[in-house]
Amino acid sequence: MAAKLEEREQHTLSVLVDNEPGVLARVIGLFSGRAYNIDSLTVSETVHETSLSRITIVTTGSPMVIEQIKNQLERLVPVRTVIDLTVRGNPIARELALLKVTGKGDKRVEALRLAEAFRAKIVDAGVEHFIFEITGRVSKIETFIQLMQQLGLVDVARTGVAAISRGAEPM
C-alpha cells in the first residue's frame, strides 16, 4: 500500500526576535540546515526602544513540516515569539514591487493604462522607460508582473511579504 502524501500548505509566520547581530543568520540556518524553503522573507526593527525586530517568513510544507519549523524557531535563543498568522486566520499581507518597463508607442500607452488600473505609481520615467511602484496582495503583484512581461518588462525588485494579524490583539 502506498503511503498517503501530505498536502503542502503555505504559511505566513511572524517571528519576534532580539535585534542583534547574527539573529537572521541563525533563523536562515535553521531553514537551510533542514532543507526547508523560504518563499518570502522580510525583516525590520519594529520598536527601536526595545531592540526587537519582526521577521516575516512565508514558507511551504506539509502540516507536520510547518509544525517542526515553528517548534524549532521557538527554541532559538534570540526568538521571543513565533505566531503562525495563517492559523490565526486571514492576516493582512502586502508586498511592494518596483518594475522597469521599456517600450514605445502602443506598448507604452498600454503600460500606462494598466498601471492606472492597478493603482501603480510612476516613480521614474524616461523617453523609453517607466519604473512603476505597486503595493498590494501577492496575487495582485503577480498579475501585474505577468501583464507587464508582454509590454517590455526588463527588471523587477520585490520586498517580500509584510503581514500582520487582524483584530485588536497584539503579536
Side-chain angles (χ1 to χ4, degrees):
M1 234 184 207
K4 181 183 171 189
L5 292 176
E6 287 192 83
E7 290 205 22
R8 296 173 52 83
E9 304 172 345
Q10 189 173 67
H11 283 248
T12 303
L13 307 176
S14 188
V15 184
L16 198 61
V17 298
D18 293 329
N19 187 9
E20 57 188 45
V23 172
L24 182 59
R26 281 182 255 171
V27 169
I28 304 262
L30 183 149
F31 278 79
S32 65
R34 289 160 182 82
Y36 301 146
N37 191 45
I38 296 174
D39 299 327
S40 174
L41 175 71
T42 335
V43 184
S44 184
E45 188 173 59
T46 55
V47 181
H48 184 67
E49 295 78 28
T50 59
S51 281
L52 294 175
S53 289
R54 179 188 302 248
I55 301 174
T56 304
I57 303 168
V58 179
T59 188
T60 304
S62 68
M64 185 180 78
V65 166
I66 299 295
E67 273 309 307
Q68 288 174 346
I69 290 170
K70 292 188 295 191
N71 291 334
Q72 290 166 358
L73 281 170
E74 287 171 343
R75 284 191 228 132
L76 290 177
V77 172
V79 172
R80 302 276 186 102
T81 309
V82 177
I83 303 292
D84 187 339
L85 296 173
T86 305
V87 170
R88 211 177 241 197
N90 202 16
I92 303 292
R94 297 293 185 265
E95 184 176 18
L96 177 138
L98 298 171
L99 287 77
K100 186 183 294 184
V101 180
T102 62
K104 294 181 180 179
D106 290 344
K107 286 190 174 189
R108 186 173 173 87
V109 172
E110 182 64 8
L112 284 171
R113 189 189 67 71
L114 284 170
E116 185 177 337
F118 277 80
R119 295 188 177 131
K121 297 178 190 173
I122 300 169
V123 293
D124 187 50
V127 176
E128 294 184 7
H129 83 282
F130 289 108
I131 297 178
F132 297 109
E133 173 187 302
I134 183 168
T135 58
R137 293 186 192 134
V138 172
S139 59
K140 174 185 174 182
I141 305 289
E142 291 287 341
T143 301
F144 189 66
I145 289 170
Q146 286 176 354
L147 291 169
M148 287 298 163
Q149 283 176 337
Q150 302 165 25
L151 300 174
L153 180 68
V154 293
D155 205 0
V156 177
R158 296 173 77 164
T159 61
V161 174
I164 198 164
S165 62
R166 292 181 186 268
E169 118 183 36
M171 183 174 167

